[in-house]
Amino acid sequence: MQTGAVARDKLFNMRMSEEEWGRLEFLTEHYGLNAAGVLRMLLKREADAVQAKARETSKKSPRGKR
């Protein structure tokens, strides 16, 4: 776990509506994670999906052109 200045540089606050908070609470219970863990998981999942899509798109494009 990171501590000190490094962790503070990566900290952010987020305001959420009651509906968004309810979704986050649902996911924390479902996955057995805290809010930070759920956000990390979802960010990684989405980044992996976007990268996979980009790789697939680049494979389909003609050589030398993107």
Side-chain angles (χ1 to χ4, degrees), residues 4-53:
V6 174
R8 288 188 190 115
D9 288 345
K10 304 294 182 185
L11 180 68
F12 74 95
N13 292 319
M14 182 176 173
R15 289 189 177 127
M16 301 176 84
S17 69
E18 288 295 323
E19 182 180 356
E20 291 166 333
W21 187 254
R23 287 183 193 134
L24 184 56
E25 286 182 323
F26 171 76
L27 292 174
T28 61
E29 291 174 21
H30 177 75
Y31 289 111
L33 299 170
N34 61 22
V38 169
L39 291 174
R40 287 183 184 105
M41 179 192 70
L42 295 174
L43 285 171
K44 181 171 182 345
R45 182 183 295 172
E46 188 64 16
D48 289 349
V50 169
Q51 289 172 344
K53 182 72 170 174

Side-chain angles (χ1 to χ4, degrees), residues 1-4 7 40:
M1 175 103 195
Q2 295 179 350
T3 60
R40 287 183 184 105

